[in-house]
Amino acid sequence: MEPARSLPHTNDLATQHLWVNAKLATFDSSINIPYGLRDGWAIATRGDSIAVILPPDSPEVRSFPGGITDVGGRWITPGLIDCHTHLVYGGSRAAEWEMRLSGVPYAEIARQGGGILSTVRATRAMSEEELVSAALPRLRALAAEGVTCVEIKSGYGLTVLDELKMLRVARRLSELLAIEISPTLLAAHAVPPEFVGRADDYVGLIVEEMIPLVARERLAEAVDVFCETIAFSPAQCDRIFAAARAHGLAVKGHVEQLTNQHGAELVAHHGGWSCDHIEYLDGAGVRAMAKAGTVAVLLPGAFYFLREKQKPPVVQLRAAGVPIAVASDLNPGTSPLASIRLAMNMACILFGFTPEEALAGATREAARALGRGDRLGTLAVGKQADFLIWDVTHAAEIVCQLGVNPLVERVFRGRGVCVQS
Ligand code: NIG
Ligand code: FE
């Protein structure tokens, strides 16, 4: 992919800049028109924040003291947020994909010690530096298509040292690229081989050692679980969530992906940030999420790659007013796609999203799913100045057209960044 082209700035004052003549897709819920569109408006940054949003022909534009860029009627959206990824990992699962294509189910491969556990073996064998090098191209690919904030889970280490190693890799990545990272401890991703038949003892290790250590070293913001027959029971997840909350960490869960374990009700009961996957979510789960304000994170990449038939209950979630986000679920097994744009596209084709819902799901709602709704996800005064300038004639084109990158400029914390992949 070519580097994003930078528009010529008349003045490159990093601390104060004004973009004029834009179609601002604000996604501000208080603006009750599609995309929260401000057509022909201007947006200015001061430092790392959005300082002002101005209607066309505002006198302030003429007297603006900083640099000015005329974007020539192009669209500007908030920075894209990928709120569910497993992008730090070692190895490849392409051979397993071949097996799945020939008819062996994902759960069967997992039971035979493949799946997540095969990535665990490869990830444990790699150093922190090797994992950084392996993850960088995936993170660059996301950044190049406009991602300014990404969640990264551990979950392929499954020992104290290896989970911490993965979280340190996530921290290191945030120092290498202009991107915000929300790290999540997913030690309860699979029962490690050392604990086969003793899952409760492994949960004890998570609760008594991993969570306190990760909280003390501020290596994660949230704790995630895989609540499933092939992973952890609701009772085990409950113990993990209680420990997370006691240490001031947020909770979220991979729930109702392959069966309904009532994991969403559990996440909602703990005031969780998000319930992810939720293909098998039922009415009680929808109601619990609506009541708790928990975000539904839909992952069409995993649905597609696993050739699932059961779709998440989008109509019921909408009707109940549950915020709905979309994410890549980037991982080597069930969703090997380093593209939030492809995930948005799949959400439209496979789950019946509108393009506006898909974009809102990867901006405003994704920010809420990461506990950042007050700071990221919309174009509004006071928010962090993370936004994207697109060479498209309509915002839907960002979701519709694949294989070309219409991103012209990526502004992160008030600074224009030329992205290379
Ligand atoms: O989100 N559902 C569990 N975890 C991942 C899969 C990870 C893997 O297969 O490596 C998911 O789909
Ligand atoms: Fe996942």
Side-chain angles (χ1 to χ4, degrees):
M1 197 185 295
E2 283 180 23
R5 305 173 298 281
S6 241
L7 289 170
H9 288 187
T10 52
N11 178 340
D12 235 341
L13 267 187
T15 53
Q16 212 166 177
H17 202 93
L18 178 71
W19 286 260
V20 298
N21 192 15
K23 289 191 171 64
L24 299 180
T26 66
F27 290 96
D28 183 335
S29 325
S30 66
I31 301 171
N32 204 12
I33 46 175
Y35 300 94
L37 178 63
R38 295 303 203 190
D39 196 354
W41 286 46
I43 184 167
T45 56
R46 187 173 309 116
D48 62 5
S49 304
I50 296 173
V52 69
I53 292 178
L54 298 166
D57 304 320
S58 299
E60 291 95 325
V61 168
R62 280 188 293 280
S63 57
F64 187 75
I68 300 181
T69 302
D70 185 337
V71 301
R74 290 184 172 93
W75 283 76
I76 298 186
T77 68
L80 299 177
I81 298 173
D82 194 347
C83 66
H84 180 138
T85 84
H86 310 245
L87 72 76
V88 173
Y89 62 80
S92 159
R93 303 250 291 278
E96 174 192 306
W97 183 60
E98 235 174 12
M99 279 169 73
R100 292 211 313 265
L101 286 175
S102 72
V104 187
Y106 177 65
E108 183 51 39
I109 291 171
R111 268 190 288 271
Q112 290 173 10
I116 292 171
L117 289 180
S118 90
T119 302
V120 169
R121 287 188 288 277
T123 305
R124 284 180 178 180
M126 284 167 77
S127 68
E128 218 169 289
E129 268 139 63
E130 287 167 333
L131 285 169
V132 168
S133 305
L136 258 178
R138 301 189 272 267
L139 190 60
R140 281 207 184 98
L142 291 176
E145 59 170 22
V147 172
T148 49
C149 177
V150 61
E151 188 252 20
I152 300 179
K153 301 176 195 297
S154 66
Y156 294 125
L158 312 186
T159 65
V160 177
L161 287 182
D162 289 304
E163 286 293 296
L164 259 59
K165 174 176 75 178
M166 290 189 71
L167 292 171
R168 284 203 196 91
V169 170
R171 177 184 282 172
R172 181 86 190 103
L173 290 170
S174 72
E175 295 159 1
L176 295 176
L177 291 186
I179 196 161
E180 181 165 329
I181 286 177
S182 172
T184 299
L185 175 70
L186 175 58
H189 198 191
V191 178
E194 304 77 15
F195 284 87
V196 170
R198 297 189 299 125
D200 282 327
D201 292 347
Y202 180 58
V203 172
L205 181 71
I206 296 174
V207 162
E208 281 148 35
E209 286 192 40
M210 292 193 199
I211 289 177
L213 206 54
V214 161
R216 195 170 340 122
E217 294 195 18
R218 295 182 182 282
L219 278 168
E221 300 177 350
V223 172
D224 196 347
V225 298
F226 187 16
C227 184
E228 193 52 70
T229 50
I230 55 167
F232 296 88
S233 70
Q236 290 166 337
C237 296
D238 191 30
R239 275 179 74 194
I240 292 167
F241 287 157
R245 293 176 70 197
H247 285 87
L249 298 171
V251 307
K252 57 173 92 173
H254 288 70
V255 293
E256 339 307 11
Q257 180 186 8
L258 307 170
T259 59
N260 184 355
Q261 299 293 311
H262 304 284
E265 285 158 76
L266 185 65
V267 172
H269 169 77
H270 283 281
W273 275 353
S274 69
C275 292
D276 301 34
H277 288 289
I278 57 171
E279 278 84 345
Y280 286 82
L281 186 71
D282 62 11
V286 172
R287 285 190 293 279
M289 288 174 67
K291 193 158 164 235
T294 300
V295 178
V297 176
L298 303 191
L299 305 167
F303 175 89
Y304 166 84
F305 271 96
L306 292 174
R307 296 197 283 192
E308 293 290 342
K309 298 281 177 288
Q310 172 93 14
K311 297 189 182 193
V314 173
V315 173
Q316 290 85 339
L317 289 165
R318 269 192 205 122
V322 174
I324 308 176
V326 58
S328 71
D329 195 14
L330 167 51
N331 76 68
T334 64
S335 193
L337 55 102
S339 173
I340 189 70
R341 289 181 58 220
L342 177 55
M344 288 191 287
N345 179 281
M346 287 177 166
C348 294
I349 300 295
L350 301 173
F351 293 166
F353 278 40
T354 65
E356 183 186 358
E357 282 177 320
L359 279 163
T363 54
R364 184 183 63 221
E365 309 309 346
R368 291 173 74 171
L370 297 181
R372 285 163 164 75
D374 55 342
R375 189 163 60 78
L376 304 181
T378 67
L379 301 179
V381 171
K383 286 227 165 160
Q384 188 163 299
D386 294 355
F387 52 81
L388 310 168
I389 302 165
W390 300 94
D391 198 4
V392 293
T393 55
H394 191 283
E397 215 173 304
I398 299 165
V399 181
C400 168
Q401 193 179 42
L402 302 173
V404 289
N405 187 1
L407 183 63
V408 174
E409 187 164 4
R410 179 181 178 280
V411 177
F412 176 69
R413 294 185 179 156
R415 286 171 185 268
V417 178
C418 192
V419 185
Q420 311 214 359
S421 66

